[in-house]
């Protein structure tokens, strides 16, 4: 997208979202792909990218992956607290948007599709619900992958928009046992 078009959208004061990608050293090749794909400004609504480094190995630095100066969307490292991907639900101190897109590091989505999904999220007023694309249905003791027209039980968070308000609620002390249980069973959904 040409720079003047990005500038125009910023001037219009449209709603924006930030993106959180949790990854680790063994999957760092995916991080390089994501930064190259999203930090070029392909999504007009994307304000910032957060990389949640959920690894005990030291982060090698962004220079190891890409030349930061040639990208339009800023990105920031968020170090792990628990060593698990549940850290991607922590609210970054520098978050300036009301919406955070949680994106698994092995999912690639084109900018126009991100914009379309975000537009649906905004127009549908999903501010206190998880809005995502991957669902599961719990039926007779098993999780199934439902078709588009079938009912589902949960939305998985691998590609989901969450409001700051929902994240604040999730991170309250009263849900600490729930977060610890997710870490214990190694599942954040």
């Amino acid at each position: 997208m040409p720079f003047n078009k990005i500038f125009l959208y910023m001037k219009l004061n449209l709603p924006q979202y930030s993106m959180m990608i949790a990854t680790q050293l063994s999957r760092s090749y995916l991080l390089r792909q994501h930064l190259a794909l999203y930090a070029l400004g392909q999504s007009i609504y994307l304000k910032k990218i957060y990389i949640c480094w959920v690894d005990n190995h030291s982060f090698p630095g962004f220079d190891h992956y890409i030349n930061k100066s040639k990208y339009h969307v800023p990105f920031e490292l968020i170090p792990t607290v628990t060593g698990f991907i549940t850290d991607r639900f922590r609210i970054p101190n520098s978050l300036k948007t009301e919406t955070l897109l949680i994106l698994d590091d092995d999912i690639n989505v084109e900018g126009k599709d991100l914009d379309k999904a975000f537009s649906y999220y905004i127009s549908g007023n999903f501010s206190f619900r998880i809005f995502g694309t991957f669902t599961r249905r719990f039926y007779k003791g098993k999780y199934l992958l439902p078709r588009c027209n079938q009912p589902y039980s949960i939305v998985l968070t691998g590609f989901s928009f969450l409001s700051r308000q929902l994240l604040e609620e999730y991170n309250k002390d009263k849900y600490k046992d729930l977060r610890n249980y997710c870490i214990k069973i190694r599942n954040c959904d």
Side-chain angles (χ1 to χ4, degrees):
M1 175 179 299
F3 178 74
N4 57 354
K5 192 171 182 182
I6 293 170
F7 183 72
L8 174 65
Y9 280 102
M10 289 169 48
K11 288 297 247 181
L12 292 174
N13 202 23
L14 294 174
Q16 292 182 298
Y17 67 92
S18 298
M19 179 185 289
M20 177 72 78
I21 303 168
T23 195
Q24 57 191 337
L25 190 60
S26 65
R27 297 167 66 93
S28 60
Y29 65 96
L30 295 168
L31 175 58
R32 184 178 284 117
Q33 292 172 3
H34 274 79
L35 291 175
L37 182 64
Y38 303 122
L40 286 171
Q42 293 182 6
S43 170
I44 59 173
Y45 301 111
L46 180 58
K47 183 172 182 78
K48 189 168 187 175
I49 301 169
Y50 294 96
I51 308 300
C52 183
W53 191 253
V54 290
D55 201 329
N56 293 327
H57 295 94
S58 296
F59 182 68
F62 285 114
D63 293 338
H64 178 75
Y65 298 102
I66 60 171
N67 180 352
K68 207 172 177 181
S69 65
K70 57 182 183 174
Y71 295 99
H72 305 293
V73 179
F75 39 93
E76 178 182 331
L77 178 71
I78 306 295
T80 187
V81 172
T82 66
F84 189 58
I85 60 174
T86 52
D87 285 348
R88 66 186 176 172
F89 300 112
R90 290 178 35 235
I91 301 172
N93 291 333
S94 63
L95 184 66
K96 301 274 191 266
T97 61
E98 290 302 313
T99 306
L100 190 64
L101 170 64
I102 306 295
L103 186 67
D104 279 358
D105 64 357
D106 59 352
I107 297 175
N108 289 327
V109 183
E110 291 187 29
K112 65 181 175 55
D113 295 326
L114 289 173
D115 290 343
K116 184 184 271 188
F118 184 62
S119 295
Y120 287 140
Y121 171 81
I122 294 297
S123 66
N125 193 24
F126 286 95
S127 59
F128 206 66
R129 291 175 276 172
I130 297 173
F131 178 83
T133 57
F134 300 109
T135 60
R136 294 290 183 272
R137 181 177 181 201
F138 192 72
Y139 183 72
K140 294 186 178 179
K142 294 183 180 180
Y143 276 107
L144 308 171
L145 299 171
R147 294 190 187 112
C148 294
N149 60 351
Q150 291 180 324
Y152 57 91
S153 304
I154 62 172
V155 173
L156 300 182
T157 55
F159 178 93
S160 60
F161 289 97
L162 294 101
S163 68
R164 174 190 284 270
Q165 182 184 12
L166 186 61
L167 290 166
E168 286 171 351
E169 185 68 25
Y170 174 80
N171 283 289
K172 287 184 176 178
D173 283 341
K174 66 181 178 179
Y175 298 117
K176 185 177 181 178
D177 289 342
L178 172 66
R179 292 189 304 273
N180 288 338
Y181 179 72
C182 291
I183 293 166
K184 179 182 174 184
I185 65 167
R186 308 301 282 177
N187 189 335
C188 59
D189 293 312

